[in-house]
Each structure stands twice: as structure tokens, then as C-alpha cells.
Amino acid sequence: MLSDVTTPQDLDDRFRETLAALPAAQQRRDPADPVTDDAPLTGAQVLDLFDAQVTSRQLDLAGRWLRSFGEGFYTIGSAGHEGNAAVAAALRPTDPALLHYRSGAFYCQRAAQAAAEATPADQAQPPADTQRPAGTQPATGTQPATGTQPATGTQPVVDPQRAVGPGPAAEPEAADQSEPSEPSGTEPPTGGFAAYADAARDVLRGMVASSQEPIAGGRHKVFGRADLAIVPTTSTIASHLPRAVGMGLAVERLRRLDSAGRRTGAGVRVGSAAGAAHAPWPPDAIVVCSFGDASVNHASATAAFNTAGWYDHGKLRIPVLFVCEDNGLGISVRTPEGWVETTLRAKPGIRYFSADGADPVQTYAVAAEAAAWVRRTRRPAVLHLRTVRLMGHAGADAESAYRSPAELAEDLDRDPVAATARLLVDAGVATGEELLARYDETGWQVRRLAEEVLGEPKLASAADVVSTLAPRRPMRVARAVADAAARASGPGAGARAEAFGGKPPELSGPMTLAQSINAALADGMLDHPQMAIFGEDVAAKGGVYGVTKGLRDRFGAARVFDTLLDETSVLGLGLGAGLAGMLPVPEIQYLAYLHNAEDQLRGEAATMRFFSQGAFRNPMVVRVAGLAYQEGFGGHFHNDNSVAVLRDVPGLVVAVPARPDDAAPMLRTCLASAAVDGSVCVFLEPIALYHTRDLYADGDGEWLAGYPEPGAWVAGHVPIGRARVYRVGSADDLTIITFGNGVRMSLRAAAVLAEEGVGTRVVDLRWLAPLPVADIIRESSATGRVLVVDETRRSGGVGEGVIAALVDAGYVGAARRVAAVDSFVPLGPAARHVLVSAEAITDGARTLLAR
């Protein structure tokens, strides 16, 4: 049966017709024997794959059924991609995986593998709630096998006695469609839903947005669970691939450190790479990430492939297995025939493997070979898995608009679940009738679970939704800073003295902003042995402004290293390293360059805790040189004043240190917050203030500051979201709220106003996200006149947020803004026409005071 659109009912009917038409083999085969004479899988193992595939298929059908009466919210399914179950079987359940949204069968197989690893087969019992009602005959059978592998890179060996789980229920598209058929009473040779029940329930809970869903808690339907080593990813366009490369790099680095017997702790010998955090995965783990064929063309995928190959070319190992699930379509856009293979084969440094996803034996064999190669060589590879797409892109997709009935029929002929069934029947492991009974039993169980999860609670409030977004524990962060101070002045004092060549920075006299950041980074490296600094030009050169100068010599090339010139990959490396237990401090050379890669912050870093309820976290402190006012250099690429995209990312911490005596404590706070709370912090450093020494007059040295000794770190701690206030004169007449370069200009303007008898308080926000709202309100109310000095643009600038905070708080005084023009920053003297100046601040203040 085939209509012009492949509906759930069509797919179900076609599958049943296929199984009914399969002739029984003349002789039955023992499931413990190879499924064919030369196959690497036994009949029991293929039955295991069949169960995982059927579970995934029935979940897809259930998703369409739930959507038909408004109780399901996600209908992108895995139908046609179920061959990825064999990929999961070829891997270890401890290999971290980032999965494509059509990897349902992989997820089911991985869940069954993990359950089998945890529970001996002779102790495995189906949970009570999976028992059928009295009077009905359950489908029974032996337990499928899981793909466990030896520690070497050899082909995996599956233990046929290990229990593997069952799957979801077949659901028609509309509410009035037929229920899944009751099992026929013919008892299949093996099987059992128990091993798949948890996986099926996970997926169904995601579909109905249940707050009891184990990874995202109803925030999104994702494949992810910490105990399955599956990292949730919501991307449809391969933006998780740069993270996968970063994970591979971190796994290999930590493996090498562990093999050298190095441990985490304070007082690590300077110049070594010791002290890295232990990875959450085994030392010989490999990273697997799957994605669709259309995503091959995306910039994120290109960046990931290029970075993996670039490092491989430089003999730095990255054990990542990319899996491209190629169904030939990106929603309605066809991938040109041969394009994916041509593209993937051309990736330098990445070994190419290919398999037919409709052939479970071949897929398993090739996936096992690819995984073994990556595990043995610690090098990247790609598995090109040819699949089909059944039931369209999603529930609302009318395939008849862009595909012919002949094309749909051709894809149905390559249904991977039917292909696995055909293999089992031809081999004499099962009959079509027996497999149909397994299919119906799974469908019945999935429908039952679907009905159960319908009644589960949803997220009930905004507080519930954001509870896992970005937890803030300021007391713990303050304690972490205090502990760092104690270590630096106590057991780590010797290492600190050695790191600074016998002259610690507090004895070096007044410092510039750049020098203070450099010293704070060094102290951070000493206190956080898992910390690594990387980016373009940060190592040998020490950064284009010298901010990281000397750090590689002190801490070694394993902890301070240069990357290739690609911001997506720089952040991707940070994402993966943070997930692996490190404390990454990547540098983006200029703020303008961050816009090339901002989704790595927005869609990947900031969402990790949100979509995993804190099971995974992505601690990072991203240093960015930015803002304007560089004299005699640049244009808009080196004088970018656009920060709106950062302030718009929920949970992101954005710090802007203006003065040297703020930079070090703020950086310590960011590092502590990342380590304690898993925060994602952007440390935006004003380039024009890096080497500034003077404030009011040439030679006054008023913009320099001494570096505090460890004993002063606690008293000088700067919590996230706390402003700094400067009082000029009486400080009773005017409040200027600003940040970054605006602090210096506002203090200069305040000095001029003081000569006119105006007392000013200058509020340095220091934190653009979260804004220090309490400080804003308090200092504004003290004078009743507020001038917001915003060096970013008038539209979308920081000033809008400050004014909104005042309005929301019921502020009734006068307020005015001085902001940059809505323009890119031009080259040379023309920049003065669009940027804020001290003169404009003074004039704005006078206008406000004259009201």
C-alpha cells in the first residue's frame, strides 16, 4: 500500500505485507551461530538490532499518533535511519556520543548496551510495569546481544548472553486510526521489551514535553543521558561537530596525562602539563557524532572537518568518528548524487568509510572497523552511512510537493527494518510471523507507555523553565576565590614564585590593564591545573597585544597553544574541552571575529546546562579583545562596538574590565564561576585601554594600578553583577552609568563638571550580563539625574538595558543617553564622528542638569 505521501499507516501496512510475504527458511538456525556463514554477528545479535530498530520505528509512529490529537510536540523521526543501531552496537557504551535527531535506533541500542553492561544476564528481570495485563500472552524470547569491545582497536565481540532492550509502539497518524495489533499468539524465538523500556519512555517524555524527561526535563526533545555517555544536542545543522572535535582533542590530551601518572592538584610543577582533570570517559574512548547529509555543506561542519584534519596533519591526535547519515535530502532540497562521498573523501586527514544502512551486517562490520581504527590510531574518520527517509521530514511535511510516488516507493524498498527482518528470515533465525509478533508486542508496549506519559506534569512556571539555565552560587564562588588565595600564599607559594621568576606581580609596581590580565591568567593557571589557554597567536607571539606573553614558556605548549585561524573551531575546542573536565580559556582575537562563530556560544555553550538539567556543563571563560578607540589602527574589524548578541544569550556572563585593579579580580571570579557553577563567561577586554597609563594628563599614571597579593584577594573579590562607583566632588548632583572606555571618558568629564560645581558619581557597570540592577537603581535614585554613557550603538546597545531597568524599577527622575551612532566604526579620524567622546558626555550632562 502506497499513497503519494508515506503516512504512518502506509509504512505500517507495507511492513506487515513485507513480513507476511517472507517465505520461511527450510532449516532453522541456532541464534548463537553467525547469522550467515561469514557474518561478524550472530543471529541473536541481529535480533537485538531488529528490536532496537523496531523500538525506534514504533516511537516514530507513536509521535505521529500523539501529534494527531495535540499531545505530541515533536514529529521528526528516525524512520529509514534505523541502520544506525548497528553503529551503536559497534561502539562501546562509554564512548561519548553526540547524536543527529534521526538517531533513535542508536539511542535505543546504546541504552540496551548500558543496561547489559550494568546487569548480568542471569539477573535481568523485566520491570513490573512492563508486564502485560493478565490473560494476554506476552511475546517472549532470548535476550539480544550488545556490542562490547576489547580495549584494543580490534573488532568488537558481542556477548550473546547480554540482555538488550525493546522499543516503542506503532501509532497511526490520526486519533481515529487503528490501535497497534495485539500479538498474534505466535511466540517469537527471542526478545523482550524490558531492556528498551527506559529508552522508549525517555523519547516519549521528550515528545510530550514531560517535566520528568530525564535529560532536558521537558525543555526539548533530545537524545541524551549522562549515564549513556550521550551528550544532548539540539542542532539540526551540525553545530555540534566543532564540539566533538574539541572533545576528541581533550580526551586524547587527558589520556596522555593519565598515562603519565599526573594528577590534579595545587602546586603543580610550572612548565609541565600536569594536573589536568580526569576525563569522564575511559582513556581509550573515542568520540562519535552523527549528522545529516545536508549538514555536510554547513560552515560548522566544514570547520570541524578542517580542524580535525589540520591537527592530524600536525600529528596531534583527535579520536573522533564522524557519522554522516545520508538520506539524500535536506527537508525538500536534494543532495546531488555523489556529492557527499566526493566531499567526505576529499577531507584531508580524515579516513573515509562507507556502508549501506539497509544492510545491518555490513553496517556493523564497517562501523566496527572504523571505530577500531579510530581507537587504535587516535585519528579522525568518517563513516558515510547511506540511508533513506521515510514519512517525510516531519509530521507537517507534504512530500508530494517535491517527490514522486516512484521515489517514495524506491525508498520503501530500502526500509532498513524490513531488510533486517528479511535477513533473519532468510537465515532461518526467525519466521516473518514471529518477527511480526515482536513488532506488535513492541507497538503495544510503546502505546501503553505513550498513554502513561501523557498524564505526567509539564514545566509549570518560568522559574521551572530557567532553573537549570545558569545557576549562580556567589558564596561558593567567593569561597573558591578565598581558597585560591590560601593556596597561592600557602602550599602553592613555591610554585607561584617559580612561575613568576622569583618576582611575583604584586612586587612589580603599577600595572597596565594588559599586564594585570597577564598576571591573573598566570595565577589562574597555577590554581586551576585543568586550565588551558588557546587561540590565534596566543602562544609564541603572546597575543597581538602581548596579553598572554610568556605564558607558554611558564606552563608549556600543552596548556598554552596556538590554534588555526577559525573562530568556530576555537570555540568548538573550548566546548569540547569543558565538557571533558578541563577549564578552557579560549581567546577570540577581535570582537568582530566572534560574530563568525557566535552560535557556538548561543546554541551550544549556553544551552548545555539548560537542555541537560545540569547533567552536563560547559565551563568556559572566553577572552575577547574588543570595543573601539584604538588610535591610528583598525576600522570596524579592530574597533567593533557590537555586543548586543552577547547580552541576548540567556545565562551568559559578560564581563568588561576597564581598570587594571578590576581586571584581575573579575577574571578570578569568572574562572571560579566556571569551575564551580559551569558558567560560560565572556571576558571582553577593551583594546584601547590595554596599555593606557594616564587618566587626566599625560604622565599622571592614574590609570595604572598595583597587583594585589593573594592575602588581599578576598577583600578585593568582585562578585558577578556588582558595579563599582567613583565619587567626584559631592557626588550629589548627577549619576553617570557607563562601562569600558566610557569609564575613563566619564571620569574625565566628571573632573570638568567638578570645576563647575557639579558633584558626580560614575558607576562602572563592569558586568553587562547580568547587569548590576540593584547598583543602578541605588546610585540613580541618590541623585535623581542619570546620564547613561554607552560606547555601543544607540540601537541594541547596553544603554537600552540600563534605561529599561530604571523604568521597570519605577525610577521617576531625569534620564538621558549618550551613545555611539548606529554605524560601523570607520577608519582613522572619521571614527570620532560616530563614537562617544568626553566632550559629548560633558555636554550631555549639562543638558540634563539644565532641565
Side-chain angles (χ1 to χ4, degrees), residues 59 79-80 84 100 127 133 141 187 283 288 324 326 397 694 803 816 832 845:
L59 282 170
N84 55 42
H100 185 228
E187 190 166 312
V288 60
C324 179
D326 179 6
D397 182 26
D694 307 321
I803 295 296
R816 181 180 176 86
R832 299 169 189 164

Side-chain angles (χ1 to χ4, degrees), residues 502-783:
K503 187 178 183 181
E506 57 266 27
L507 301 181
S508 298
M511 290 186 169
T512 63
L513 181 70
Q515 291 169 333
S516 182
I517 294 172
N518 178 278
L521 286 170
D523 270 325
M525 293 286 277
L526 288 164
D527 192 60
H528 299 278
Q530 73 274 31
M531 178 174 158
I533 297 171
F534 51 90
E536 301 160 19
D537 300 305
V538 303
K541 184 178 176 66
V544 294
Y545 295 98
V547 179
T548 57
K549 186 176 181 180
L551 294 180
R552 187 185 69 166
D553 294 339
R554 294 178 190 173
F555 299 101
R559 298 187 67 195
V560 183
F561 57 91
D562 290 324
T563 66
L564 72 177
L565 196 155
D566 175 52
E567 287 71 30
T568 295
S569 295
V570 171
L571 292 178
L573 293 174
L575 289 165
L579 205 61
M582 296 174 63
L583 180 55
V585 183
E587 179 188 287
I588 300 298
Q589 200 165 81
Y590 290 102
L591 178 58
Y593 301 169
L594 177 65
H595 305 312
N596 300 324
E598 55 204 22
D599 187 56
Q600 292 295 301
L601 285 179
R602 185 200 67 84
E604 294 293 322
T607 62
M608 180 51 67
R609 289 193 68 105
F610 184 71
F611 288 125
S612 72
Q613 302 188 93
F616 294 98
R617 62 185 211 161
N618 242 122
M620 279 186 15
V621 179
V622 184
R623 293 182 47 252
V624 184
L627 302 177
Y629 298 99
Q630 289 192 82
E631 292 292 334
F633 181 64
H636 78 282
F637 270 121
H638 304 98
N639 285 281
D640 186 16
N641 60 351
S642 177
V643 301
V645 67
L646 295 174
R647 295 186 60 248
D648 186 54
V649 179
L652 196 70
V653 173
V654 181
V656 183
R659 289 183 52 88
D661 46 349
D662 278 334
M666 289 174 70
L667 183 55
R668 273 193 289 275
T669 296
C670 287
L671 292 171
S673 183
V676 170
D677 290 330
S679 301
V680 181
C681 304
V682 174
F683 201 72
L684 181 58
E685 302 164 6
I687 298 172
L689 298 178
Y690 268 150
H691 306 299
T692 298
R693 307 177 67 86
D694 307 321
L695 173 56
Y696 300 114
D698 290 346
D700 67 14
E702 291 288 333
W703 207 253
L704 301 173
Y707 189 86
E709 63 179 355
W713 291 0
V714 173
H717 173 58
V718 179
I720 291 174
R722 289 298 305 273
R724 177 175 181 175
V725 182
Y726 300 85
R727 288 174 169 80
V728 181
S730 67
D732 292 334
D733 302 311
L734 174 69
T735 300
I736 298 178
I737 299 176
T738 187
F739 65 94
N741 294 286
V743 178
R744 183 170 181 269
M745 291 186 291
S746 294
L747 288 172
R748 293 165 68 95
V752 173
L753 293 170
E755 294 176 356
E756 301 171 7
V758 177
T760 305
R761 52 188 67 199
V762 176
V763 180
D764 178 4
L765 294 171
R766 297 195 292 197
W767 307 93
L768 304 188
L771 281 171
V773 174
D775 296 331
I776 290 171
I777 303 306
R778 183 189 64 251
E779 299 301 325
S780 298
S781 300
T783 64

Side-chain angles (χ1 to χ4, degrees), residues 804-819:
L806 290 169
V807 172
D808 289 345
Y811 172 76
V812 294
R816 181 180 176 86
R817 275 194 299 161
V818 176

Side-chain angles (χ1 to χ4, degrees), residues 370-396:
W373 186 84
V374 173
R375 200 179 308 279
R376 182 178 68 254
T377 65
R378 318 304 292 169
R379 298 177 63 189
V382 60
L383 170 59
H384 181 196
L385 187 66
R386 292 175 175 82
T387 66
V388 294
R389 190 186 72 188
L390 305 176
M391 294 196 296
H393 174 71

